[in-house]
Structure formats: structure tokens, C-alpha cells
Amino acid sequence: MRFALALTCLTYTSLATADLNLKLPDMDLSNVPSSASSALGGLQDQQQGLALLRDLRSSRPLIEDPELCDAINALGQRLAARSPNSVGKLYFVIENNNLVNAYTLTGGVIVINSGLILNTQSESELAAVMAHEIAHVAQRHIARMQEETKNSPLIAGLGVLAGAAVASQSPDAAQAIVSSTLALQAHQQIVFTQQAEAEADRVGLRILANAHFNTEAMPYFLEKLERSESSRYGDVTKYLSTHPMSIDRLSDTRSLVNQLPKLKPSEDANYASLRERLRIITGQTATPLLANTLKSSSTAYAQAFQALRSGNPAASLTANLVGWSGLILQAQALNQLKRYGEAERRLQGLANQASTQAALTLALAESQLGQNKPALALQTLSRLVLSETIGLEFFEDAQRLAQQANAPADASFYNGSRSLRLGEYAHAVSTAEQALKLPNSSVISLRNLRNLKNEAERQLLNTAQHK
């Protein structure tokens, strides 16, 4: 997944800045309501996406592992930055679901099923799926569909490359989405037009190429799904029978790819490692990887991760791991063995990434706390930028570390921050109010708690106004 952060440079032509001629149709927004055709990322759109994301986290089996959450969002944001049209703020989440699917919801929430990730065989395949979903946002297909089918609800799932289905709510749920009381039990599917799918494929292909991924991955993945009646590539036959693949769409995408320069991409080993992490966490199966180098690194990571989870951290240290994912895993093993100084030294080369990687932040803070440096550990935790999509497991571990560092105000802040991301606003307010009364809290801790309280109160007010 170039599951990003530590990127491997590829040898490409000037695709990074190329304006690819993919025969894109003009984006007709004449039938889109003015509120939807305005620039994406407006306040209303952001609030809607935020409310929906928090509803999802409280009601769906999302993967909240910090490494996987950071990785999928880093990849998504990298692709979104190459979109030819504005996409506003996007949120990428992984659902623990073995069905091969991905879909986009109103407000910029993009859900990728674990089954889909485990059935990709390269980072570029996963990027192709995500680029397609981002293209649906860029082309404002939800808004256009809503205008054309006025009785459809506000939520729409845009199917993976295989058929672009829309997983929709009943009409009664439309208001629930706006009021942040979403009941996510989809019972209806709407199939997008071939024009929408053609746009998403072509815009997605442009995004994929300009983000320096292998463009061959898009038609390859489409063709793989199309021939998957044997179930070799996972449980997609039911999806495809409901949303059949267009032969014209396959040939058109292949034709467009053939017009592009032939590339030899180098897959980031972190993709293979993190795909194994997801496979072990979910207990699902995965298709074989394409490259032998990826197979080798994934096997080593799987063995080390299994050893760590089974209480044998020493075995994790003997594995030949690669990439930042391997460094973090072995630092976690060293922490379990109470070899805290070694763990901290192992992570020194990644220290400048502590503001964006939650798992790295936790491992580094734990190593510092283990060396009786609580102030430094708390400082390390505070360096992490708390984005909306950070895995919720981070807040649980950060709360534990703050408690061990004898910093109850900080522990309460992480507890309340987790509640905020679950839409539990009253609990977040109560937690912050109680923590603000604690003695001997630092100025930074008090500031964080006040900000948390203000944000939770603002969301409570918004929720009340929409009821």
C-alpha cells in the first residue's frame, strides 16, 4: 500500500505532472443542486461527513488498529492530492468484512472492506480501487444521482471497480444521517449509470498514474473480478451477479492504459507487511501476492506478528523484517521484554514521523516511560496530530500510558478524545469537566481539555438542532 510515510522512489516518466489525455467527458453539473455543486469541503459537507464517520465507528465493525488506520489514510490522501477536481476532506476507514467491496458515502467517507484489501495482490491494485472511489467524489456522483432520483436517501455506497453499486438507506434514514443518528442497515441497492462508471474509471486512472502507481493494476483488478466465478479471488460472485461487469468498460479501461507509458513499479514492502497484519487481525484468508519480494517480507512479518500476539516477543526479534512496519513491531517486542533503551534506539530513525504515525508514537512513548522518563513520554504522545481517523486503539493505549506516567488530566483527555470520535459527546464533556478540576495539571493539559470540552459541546448543540 504505499501505505505511505516511508515511500520508495519509482522510476517513472514525467507522469507526476502530466495532463493525461484520457478522453474524459465534461463534468455536467447542470442537474446538480447548487448546494452540491459548490466547492466540496464546505462547512455543511464537512459536518455531514464527520457525523457519518462517527456513527460508523459506533455501529460498524471498523478496524481500529493504529497502524492500519494511518496507512490506509496516508494512501488515500496521497491519491486524493492528485485528483483533477476538488474532493474536500476525505475519511478512509477499513471495515472488518470479508466481502470484496469498497464504497463512498456522503460527506467524503470512503469504506474499504478488509476482504477487498486481502484480495489485492499489489499496492497498485489497492490504489486503483481507492482512486476509483475518490473519482466518484471528484465527479460528485452522489449529488448528481440524488438530483436524478429525488426519493433516494442521502447515503450512497459507490461500489468497487466491479460494479459501482450504491448501498442505500431507507427513505426514513435520510434525516437520521443529517441528525447524526444513523442506522446503518442498508437494504436497497442502486446501480449507477455506465456514464458515471466510465467517469470514475477514467478519472481514477488519471489519479493512479499521477500518483505514480502501476496503471495496469486497474484493468487487471477489474478483469480478475470479472473472471472470479471460481471464487478464487474471494466472495465477489454474489456482488457481480447483482451488478454485472460491463465488457465495454473493461475494454475501454484496458485501451486507455495501453496508451500510457509502460512502467516498472516497485512495491513498498510495508504494503505486504500490513496486509498480513490485517489478515491476522481479522482471521480472514488472502490471495497470493504477485511479487516474490513481497511474499518473502509478508511471511517474515506474519511470523513475527503472530509471535508477538502469542506472548513470545523474543521470536519477533529473530525475523528479518523490512520497512517502518517491521521497525515498529520489533520495538514493541523489545518493550514487552523490558528492553526499553533498545526499543527507543530502534525507533530513532523514525522519530521525525512521530507526528503522523500513532503506532510509532505509542511504541516510542512506552520505551521512554519504561526508562523512567515520564515527562518525555508525555511529550512524545502530545506530538501526534490527532486526526479524526486515528485508530481508536491509540486512545486506549495513550490513556494507559498517561495513567502510568501519573498524569490523570492527560489520561482523561485521551479518554474523552476517544468518546468524541464515537459521537459520545455528553461523555466527552463530562470527562473534560471533571479533569479540568484536577490539581497540578499542566497548562498544555488544561488547554487540551478545554478544547475537547468546547468541541464536544458544539457537536451536542449541532445534534440537538437537527433533531
Side-chain angles (χ1 to χ4, degrees):
M1 270 163 222
R2 205 155 301 272
F3 253 120
L5 305 182
L7 302 179
T8 301
C9 294
L10 308 183
T11 302
Y12 278 76
T13 62
S14 57
L15 278 176
T17 57
D19 182 14
L20 301 176
N21 179 15
L22 299 184
K23 302 178 183 178
L24 286 170
D26 292 334
M27 187 167 63
D28 180 12
L29 298 180
S30 60
N31 64 339
V32 179
S34 58
S35 60
S37 60
S38 60
L40 290 175
L43 181 60
Q44 183 177 0
D45 189 70
Q46 290 182 24
Q47 289 176 343
Q48 193 175 76
L50 194 61
L52 177 54
L53 173 63
R54 289 171 176 175
D55 281 320
L56 282 169
R57 299 185 93 162
S58 65
S59 61
R60 301 292 293 176
L62 300 188
I63 300 296
E64 296 291 357
D65 176 79
E67 281 189 62
L68 294 173
C69 290
D70 285 350
I72 202 70
N73 275 278
L75 176 58
Q77 299 304 332
R78 177 186 171 196
L79 291 165
R82 309 306 301 188
S83 170
N85 302 317
S86 172
V87 293
K89 184 172 288 188
L90 299 180
Y91 307 101
F92 299 88
V93 296
I94 305 172
E95 180 168 330
N96 189 350
N97 188 327
N98 62 4
L99 295 178
V100 178
N101 199 10
Y103 51 95
T104 300
L105 304 176
T106 187
V109 179
I110 296 179
V111 182
I112 303 105
N113 282 359
S114 55
L116 184 141
I117 295 174
L118 294 174
N119 279 279
T120 61
Q121 295 176 283
S122 69
E123 181 188 22
S124 289
E125 281 191 32
L126 177 59
V129 174
M130 294 174 66
H132 179 93
E133 295 304 322
I134 292 168
H136 276 304
V137 179
Q139 298 302 100
R140 306 178 197 176
H141 285 153
I142 291 180
R144 293 158 72 180
M145 181 202 68
Q146 288 171 359
E147 183 64 13
E148 292 173 1
T149 56
K150 292 180 181 294
N151 293 327
S152 67
L154 293 177
I155 186 172
L158 309 179
V160 53
L161 299 171
V166 177
S168 165
Q169 295 292 329
S170 67
D172 291 341
Q175 180 58 37
I177 297 167
V178 178
S179 64
S180 186
T181 56
L182 180 64
L184 286 168
Q185 294 299 321
H187 66 83
Q188 182 183 10
Q189 288 184 322
I190 304 170
V191 178
F192 269 97
T193 65
Q194 287 299 317
Q195 179 188 2
E197 283 308 290
E199 286 183 8
D201 284 344
R202 293 179 182 188
V203 174
L205 188 57
R206 173 181 286 181
I207 292 170
L208 194 66
N210 283 337
H212 290 183
F213 285 101
N214 182 7
T215 53
E216 291 279 351
M218 181 175 284
Y220 180 81
F221 193 74
L222 282 168
E223 292 160 2
K224 183 168 66 174
L225 291 179
E226 194 273 336
R227 64 175 182 263
S228 63
E229 279 73 13
S230 66
S231 293
R232 176 184 176 188
Y233 296 106
D235 189 5
V236 297
T237 53
K238 181 178 180 181
Y239 181 84
L240 291 178
S241 65
T242 308
H243 312 286
M245 188 80 69
S246 164
I247 298 300
D248 290 340
R249 181 181 166 204
L250 285 173
S251 60
D252 184 46
T253 305
R254 171 59 69 185
S255 175
L256 291 171
V257 169
N258 288 338
Q259 299 173 33
L260 300 174
K262 302 303 179 185
L263 308 174
K264 295 181 179 180
S266 174
E267 295 288 341
D268 186 354
N270 288 303
Y271 159 79
S273 298
L274 291 167
R275 198 187 77 143
E276 283 300 291
R277 186 180 187 90
L278 179 64
R279 180 186 65 81
I280 292 169
I281 288 174
T282 62
Q284 298 168 14
T285 58
T287 57
L289 292 162
L290 292 177
N292 289 331
T293 53
L294 293 182
K295 294 176 185 177
S296 175
S297 62
S298 68
T299 299
Y301 185 91
Q303 293 172 347
F305 186 48
Q306 288 278 31
L308 188 67
R309 284 165 60 92
S310 63
N312 185 16
S316 301
L317 300 177
T318 62
N320 183 23
L321 304 183
V322 297
W324 55 264
S325 57
L327 285 174
I328 293 173
L329 190 151
Q330 291 190 329
Q332 292 168 337
L334 289 168
N335 282 335
Q336 285 194 17
L337 293 168
K338 298 184 178 182
R339 293 159 59 178
Y340 300 113
E342 291 181 60
E344 185 177 23
R345 288 190 293 275
R346 187 71 62 96
L347 297 174
Q348 283 178 347
L350 300 176
N352 62 343
Q353 299 177 22
S355 64
T356 58
Q357 283 190 276
L360 166 62
T361 296
L362 288 171
L364 185 57
E366 184 151 10
S367 70
Q368 292 162 344
L369 189 61
Q371 297 174 77
N372 197 28
K373 297 186 284 189
L376 183 58
L378 292 172
Q379 183 181 27
T380 295
L381 289 174
S382 68
R383 288 174 58 195
L384 181 69
V385 178
L386 298 181
S387 69
E388 186 64 31
T389 51
I390 284 179
L392 295 181
E393 292 175 12
F394 165 80
F395 296 100
E396 298 164 9
D397 288 338
Q399 180 183 357
R400 171 181 58 82
L401 292 175
Q403 289 170 337
Q404 293 174 359
N406 194 28
D410 294 276
S412 295
F413 169 72
Y414 290 117
N415 183 19
S417 295
R418 180 181 183 278
S419 296
L420 182 73
R421 286 161 176 78
L422 287 168
E424 298 171 354
Y425 302 127
H427 182 266
V429 170
S430 174
T431 299
E433 287 178 339
Q434 293 179 34
L436 284 167
K437 300 175 184 177
L438 293 171
N440 304 320
S441 298
S442 70
V443 173
I444 295 177
S445 299
L446 294 173
R447 182 195 63 195
N448 290 339
L449 287 166
R450 282 193 292 267
N451 290 341
L452 171 64
K453 178 175 177 289
N454 292 339
E455 172 63 14
E457 287 177 336
R458 184 162 51 250
Q459 294 299 333
L460 271 177
L461 180 61
N462 289 339
T463 301
Q465 289 176 341
H466 286 103
K467 283 185 178 179

